[in-house]
Amino acid sequence: MLLSEDDVALFARVSGDRNALHCSPGHARRTPFGRTVAHGVLAALATLDEQAPDGAGATAVEVDFGNPVFPGVLYRSEALDGARGGAGHRLLDGDRTCLTVRVSPGSPPEVEPLPAPPTRSAPRHTIADLPPGTAVSGAYGPEGIDALRERFPAASRLLGRTPLACLLWASYLAGMCLPGENCLLGRVALRFLPVAASGPARLSYTARVVHTDHRFGLVSIVGEITADGAVVAEAEIEAMVRTPAPLATSATLGEHLSPSTRLRGTTAVVVGGSRGLGAALALGLASQGCEVYVGHRGTLPRTLLDDGDRLPGRLHSVPGDAADPRWSGELRSRVEREHGRLDFLVCSAAPPLRTLGLAATDLERMDAFLTGSLRLVSAPMAGLLPLLEPGRGRCLVISSAALREPPRDWPHYVAAKSAVEGLVHWAARHRPGVAFLLARPGMLWTEQTNSPSARETAGPVEPVAARLVRGLLEPAPDGGVPLVIGEEATGPVPAGRG
């Protein structure tokens, strides 16, 4: 099964679910997924369309979502045994289940929903904004549903006209109304009720929260859809309300690293400095008086720039793709022109980290991750190491404690960090004019690792950044071998130490 960006755009237009995770590449890049994600209901339709049996009409549909589905990636669908008399299918990414969908056959209501204008922006609810009893209501009618029927004819026949519209409503409700922009669908269950009416009808809906789990950010919703007053469907929806990872702040950093002017007159480049540990390192260097060129893709957060304006040093935005040698070449010319040399190069960028295995179907994405990870270090080093040599500058490269205890679902990440470390060891041997440092922090709460389990166990970035910046203030290590800073040296530090 393969979905395209055009499929995602079509589904968004017809269903009204224009959630930014699906429709805004800039927004999606700042999430743990790193790129736009296909709608879960769209993926369920495509899965049914692969092997939908003959027959038409559904009395119930259940979809359980496990892993994201991305446009442009090939997935495998398979029939489920024992699907309780109906059609059941599973969508697989290697050996990982993305979703399961079950359809119970029967005679559904047969009404033609009249189009209704959807809401254009989704609320940014947190789990705290959604106590039990929170409710929404409104009118719903997909626009141009025939185009979706033509794209997925077998699934459309299997479901029937009204069940298809109700399934689209479930995506619209979750993505645009309740919970809204921060929604990640977990489960949709729809039961359809026979009604006497047929032909064109106006659909209305009500939905309310019945349970929330603040620890894991889970919300349970029940709802119903009516056609000109008659109930045609009852719904149960479960979703996770994503909590964006906190941005690094100079105030929190100041609890671990007191501002000073010890680096006044020095310059630094931080690759991957728009968020997470990279942003904290950029603030940490600026807090000591350094002029910091922040390499980033997309837009540098305004809050980060405002923070930098209050520090002894200064942050400079340098947008672009650090894996492209032209980026570091242009930055090298700029730093030479404005400062004459470079004192610190920090390589903290990495591709989005998603679950992957070692199945044959995973190898192409593994290759892309390995290449992307290495290029985000090798390209900046190739262009900027010559600027570090005149003053025996320092190159700090962020690796990971995952090399010591490799996570099961991150073989690509462990391999990439191993390759990066090998490159740094080579550079330390053959670039004696530069002092190299390798940092292996433990799990940090950033958008790369933003999940309920990470929020339970991961640490904040500011204490780690303070440790590393303090290390850059120490005398340069001897050349030939990089100084490895392990997890034990990058853990939290007592508050107030400067």
Side-chain angles (χ1 to χ4, degrees), residues 8 20-23 28 31 33-40 67-71:
V8 174
L21 182 61
H22 311 301
C23 300
T31 71
F33 308 106
R35 55 168 296 192
T36 52
V37 178
H39 303 74
N67 284 290
V69 174
F70 298 94

Side-chain angles (χ1 to χ4, degrees), residues 338-428:
E338 296 177 0
H339 299 281
R341 73 176 195 185
L342 184 66
D343 298 280
F344 305 102
L345 171 60
V346 178
C347 296
S348 185
L353 179 57
R354 296 188 285 267
T355 298
L356 204 60
L358 197 54
T361 53
D362 296 322
L363 297 183
E364 185 174 340
R365 278 176 285 168
M366 174 174 281
D367 289 347
F369 187 90
L370 290 172
T371 300
S373 297
L374 192 58
R375 282 293 290 269
L376 284 170
V377 178
S378 61
M381 285 175 58
L384 296 171
L385 286 183
L387 284 184
L388 292 172
E389 289 181 305
R392 188 158 171 73
R394 305 181 201 194
C395 178
L396 169 64
V397 178
I398 306 302
S399 182
S400 173
L403 292 183
R404 184 169 56 83
E405 296 185 7
R408 179 184 182 276
D409 295 325
W410 291 1
H412 53 314
Y413 181 76
V414 174
K417 288 301 184 183
S418 297
V420 165
E421 289 207 3
L423 176 64
V424 173
H425 277 273
W426 176 91

Side-chain angles (χ1 to χ4, degrees), residues 268-274 277-279 281-283 285 292-296 327 331 344-348:
V269 169
V270 178
V271 182
S274 64
L277 180 58
L281 287 166
L283 288 173
L285 288 165
V292 184
Y293 293 83
V294 182
H296 62 94
W327 179 84
L331 180 55
F344 305 102
L345 171 60
V346 178
C347 296
S348 185

Side-chain angles (χ1 to χ4, degrees), residues 139-288:
Y140 181 74
E143 181 74 40
I145 195 170
D146 285 345
L148 201 65
R149 289 175 180 155
E150 291 175 5
R151 173 65 181 88
F152 302 106
S156 298
R157 287 194 303 271
L158 174 66
L159 293 170
R161 183 184 307 166
T162 305
L164 175 59
C166 292
L167 198 55
L168 301 183
W169 165 82
S171 182
Y172 167 78
L173 176 80
M176 298 299 291
C177 304
L178 191 69
E181 184 173 289
N182 292 324
C183 168
L184 295 176
L185 265 179
R187 180 174 182 268
V188 170
L190 294 168
R191 185 170 70 91
F192 307 109
L193 288 72
V195 294
S198 62
R202 188 172 303 279
L203 297 185
S204 299
Y205 66 87
T206 60
R208 61 185 174 86
V209 176
V210 293
H211 179 71
T212 57
D213 183 331
H214 286 255
R215 180 179 179 184
F216 294 104
L218 300 176
V219 59
S220 298
I221 301 164
V222 297
E224 67 176 25
I225 303 173
T226 60
D228 290 339
V231 178
V232 297
E234 296 174 338
E236 296 178 1
I237 297 174
E238 296 177 0
M240 177 185 294
V241 184
R242 203 173 60 84
T243 300
L247 294 174
T249 67
S250 59
T252 305
L253 184 69
E255 298 173 6
H256 309 282
L257 182 68
S258 300
S260 77
T261 57
R262 294 174 66 182
L263 294 180
R264 180 67 56 82
T266 64
T267 60
V269 169
V270 178
V271 182
S274 64
R275 60 183 183 179
L277 180 58
L281 287 166
L283 288 173
L285 288 165
S287 77
Q288 304 305 300

